[in-house]
Structure formats: structure tokens, C-alpha cells
Amino acid sequence: MTTPRPEASLRTLDHLVEAGLVAPAEKPEIEKVLRRYALAITPAMAGIIAADDPQSGVQRQFVPSAQELVTAEGELDDPIGDEPFAPVKGIVHRYEDRVLLKLHHACPVYCRFCFRREQVGPGGAALNGGELDAALAYIAADPGIWEVILSGGDPLILPPARLRSVIERLCAIDHVGVIRIHSRVPVVSPERIDAELVAALRQAKPVYVVLHCNHPDELGPAARAALARLADAGLPLLSQSVLLRGINDDAQTLTRLFRRLVENRVKPYYLHHADLARGTGHFRTSIGEGQALMGQLRGKVSGLCQPTYVLDIPGGHGKVPIGPAYVEAAGPGAYALRDPAGGRHMYRECLPAEAGSGAMPLSSA
Ligand SMILES: *Cc1c(COP(=O)(O)O)cnc(C)c1O
Ligand code: SF4
């Protein structure tokens, strides 16, 4: 018997059982998971899951499991510390030159490892007209804000006309130079990337699209066509991935993922170390494992395919690179460098002599 391809997203326990993704015996446990965390699997992802091996990297990202009920000490409701940096509803202002603008809390899929899993879901209220006005006024009042990042909730599930109007209002603020959209839609709901939506993103100021994608099998023909529509429209495309145990934590899968992104004109931007969100321990790797993986890619795989491996420091202290170190100070003007194969090399700086040190500056030689 083949599972019919669903025409609508899977949103309930019964949908999962009908699709053969949850065994009847597992129902009570999964019901507990769904009381806490939102569920949605789009037709595009359900189609890939149905055609795929159950242990594959796509299924485990979206199908709930009883392991989500296990929480470890140290896991947090707000693992990246958004809350203390929210000056008005919908804005997170943690870094000087950029803010997040969260228009709503809904996503087309709910990733089981989501770092905002306590906040996202279909029930969360979107910003109303007055709240959006207040968020835009906050941005307009701070000339230090150069970039506005629509995040969320997935901005690309909004009706194109609404998205267009928000981006137009952002473009009208003089000091806003760039708008960035973080989205999973081109992969999980590629049919939404139609001419109307693409037109809404082509505006007076550059709109960068950062795609969230974790496994090469997510990028089927429909997703690749959606990315081509965005790239052909001149929208710069970047990606962010989360390092996930059992899904993409091996050098071969990461290489396939990053190469496939680059082949589709998407530059891998960040590889995130999994955050300390509650009930996501089964997805987490150690930092040492992540560094070893990045080390395996460096030198072997094109530089275009190398994202920065980052960790968002819990408590809202910001993201920092945590990849392997290749340089170590070794005395004044001297460094020990490690090559991609592990060899060590000394490097001595050759700098123009400083003014006052007795040597002639190079420019007047
Ligand atoms: C991740 C994040 C950003 C974007 O950071 P970049 O390093 O510029 O990609 C901005 N604001 C907040 C609150 C973030 O969490
Ligand atoms: S798309 Fe992003 S915000 Fe939405 S559930 Fe997945 S990880 Fe969370």
C-alpha cells in the first residue's frame, strides 16, 4: 500500500498516524509532545519523507518523537536570550546595527529542534497595525540601525501584498540600508515562491534571503526551482543550517548539503551549533564534534561551501564563531599556523616599521 501524498499540511496526531509516521502504540506519548510543541509538515516535506528512508535526515527534523519530553538540566525556554532585548513588541535589538523584526509566530513547518519552540506556533498573535507602527517607529528613531532582519515566525508565509507593504515602509527609512529575510519557505513550501511573492521582494533596497536548510535531501526539484526564481530575480541568497546529531553530523552529508546549496546559487553563511532549547538534547552534538567536522571540510571542499560555525551564547550575549583555530600567538610578531592537514608552520609578521622606531616609513623610501 502506498501512502497518498497529502494535499494539505499534516497538523494533527491523526494525520501523522494516517500517513504512517506515528505507530498507533506511540500515540499517547506523541500526544503529550503535541500538547507542548506545535506540529506542521508541509505537503512538499511529507512527499520527501514518504519517498525516503524513515531514518533519513528529513523525517527526523519534522516528525515528533517521545524524546522531546526528555529535558536536561541547563536547557532553557529562551535559549538565545531574545526576551531582555525586546524594547517594543516584535523587535529584538541585541546588536548595534541590526534588529530582528518578528511580524508573527507561525511557521510552515515546525522543526523539532527549534530554538524558539516555546514561542513559535499557529496560535501566537501577529503584530497588529498599531504594534507594527510602533516597531517601525522604533527603527526609524535609531539612525544606528542599518539592517532589519525579518525572522520569526517565517516571514514568507505572509500574503505577498502585506510583505510588500512592510518592506516598502522599511525602505522608506533613510538609514535602513539592507533588509534580510530568514525563511524556510523556499525549501518546505516552494510553491509559495511565485511571481507575486518574488515581485514583493524586489524593492528599492537590497533584500537578502537567508534560507534555513539542514539536509541535502530537502532540496528536491521543486525547492531548486523556487531558489532559481529568487536568484534569477537578483536576490542574494545565503543559507543557515543547524548541526544536528544523526541528521547532518558527518562530513559527507555536510559536503553534499553545502555543495548543493552553492550549485543552487545559495552561499552557506552559518552552521549553528544546536541551541539549548528544551527537549532537543537528542539532536545536539558536542562542540568538539562540530569543530572536527569543520576541520574535515577545510582544504578539501571549496571555500564557497564553508559556512562559519557559530554558537549563540546563552543569555543574549550574541553569536560567536566556534570553529577550529588555525592560528596561535607565538611571541612578538610570531604565530604558529596549522594547515588543513594538521601540519604546523611558523609565520613572522613583516610590517612597515612604526613611526618613531628609527626606521624610515616605507612611503618615503
Ligand atoms: C542572529 C541574530 C542576528 C543576526 O546576526 P548576524 O551575525 O548578523 O547574522 C541579529 N539579531 C539577533 C537578535 C540575532 O539573534
Ligand atoms: S522554521 Fe525556524 S523558527 Fe520555524 S520552527 Fe523551524 S527552526 Fe523554528
Side-chain angles (χ1 to χ4, degrees):
M1 201 184 87
T2 57
T3 319
R5 190 180 161 141
E7 298 306 319
S9 293
L10 310 176
R11 292 186 179 276
T12 65
L13 183 52
D14 287 339
H15 293 161
L16 293 176
V17 174
E18 279 160 35
L21 297 172
V22 166
E26 300 171 299
K27 278 177 76 170
E29 289 291 281
I30 301 298
E31 196 166 0
K32 281 188 220 157
V33 174
L34 298 188
R35 249 181 261 140
R36 274 203 79 153
Y37 303 115
L39 167 73
I41 305 177
T42 55
M45 288 300 104
I48 288 176
I49 290 169
D52 219 16
D53 140 23
Q55 291 312 310
S56 88
V58 180
Q59 170 151 343
R60 290 192 49 228
Q61 290 187 54
F62 304 118
V63 177
S65 98
Q67 287 168 295
E68 292 172 52
L69 299 169
V70 180
T71 59
E73 207 181 318
E75 290 182 343
L76 305 163
D77 276 343
D78 179 19
I80 65 170
D82 277 351
E83 287 304 314
F85 294 88
V88 297
K89 195 172 170 196
I91 296 276
V92 183
H93 194 180
R94 184 206 281 165
Y95 303 106
E96 210 171 288
D97 78 338
R98 55 211 191 276
V99 293
L100 300 186
L101 173 54
K102 300 194 277 189
L103 297 169
H104 61 89
H105 297 281
C107 291
V109 287
Y110 291 102
C111 311
R112 307 322 302 170
F113 48 84
C114 177
F115 63 117
R116 274 197 200 114
R117 60 192 329 214
E118 313 284 343
Q119 286 86 42
V120 296
L127 291 191
N128 65 32
E131 289 162 343
L132 178 61
D133 291 347
L136 293 172
Y138 177 86
I139 295 167
D142 182 348
I145 298 173
W146 170 78
E147 182 182 24
V148 178
I149 303 168
L150 305 183
S151 171
D154 198 313
L156 294 187
I157 61 171
L158 288 172
R162 175 155 160 81
L163 201 56
R164 171 191 292 278
S165 127
V166 171
I167 298 174
E168 273 171 4
R169 292 176 70 185
L170 290 170
C171 289
I173 301 172
D174 258 355
H175 54 262
V176 172
V178 166
I179 292 144
R180 193 199 311 182
I181 296 182
H182 283 190
S183 177
R184 219 153 168 21
V185 163
V187 168
V188 303
S189 301
E191 70 287 350
R192 281 185 185 268
I193 310 295
D194 59 11
E196 196 190 354
L197 185 78
V198 172
L201 302 180
R202 293 188 61 177
Q203 299 222 15
K205 290 184 179 167
V207 173
Y208 279 63
V209 177
V210 182
L211 178 72
H212 172 184
C213 180
N214 304 314
H215 193 279
D217 293 351
E218 288 172 49
L219 293 166
R224 297 204 299 268
L227 292 172
R229 291 193 286 279
L230 294 167
D232 287 347
L235 298 161
L237 304 179
L238 304 169
S239 67
Q240 51 179 342
S241 307
V242 186
L243 183 59
L244 297 167
R245 175 173 300 287
I247 291 176
N248 60 15
D249 64 336
D250 63 277
Q252 199 201 352
T253 304
L254 287 180
T255 301
R256 280 176 56 219
L257 169 64
F258 299 142
R259 282 189 176 155
R260 190 169 282 193
L261 287 163
V262 170
E263 286 160 9
N264 287 284
R265 290 180 276 177
V266 180
K267 166 72 186 93
Y269 172 54
Y270 279 160
L271 175 67
H272 292 271
H273 188 72
D275 288 305
L276 295 173
R278 268 195 226 291
T280 63
H282 51 299
F283 287 117
R284 228 171 282 130
T285 65
S286 70
I287 291 178
E289 288 167 310
Q291 291 179 328
L293 284 167
M294 291 307 294
Q296 283 173 271
L297 300 196
R298 174 67 57 190
K300 287 212 188 79
V301 182
S302 163
L304 286 178
C305 303
Q306 312 271 346
T308 306
Y309 177 40
V310 293
L311 172 65
D312 218 316
I313 305 173
H317 303 288
K319 292 182 193 65
V320 287
I322 56 166
Y326 294 95
V327 58
E328 206 181 288
Y335 294 89
L337 295 175
R338 198 165 55 79
D339 68 37
R344 263 170 79 90
H345 310 273
M346 286 308 291
Y347 176 86
R348 286 196 183 284
E349 279 175 335
C350 304
L351 299 176
E354 273 169 50
S357 70
M360 295 288 283
L362 287 181
S363 56
S364 59

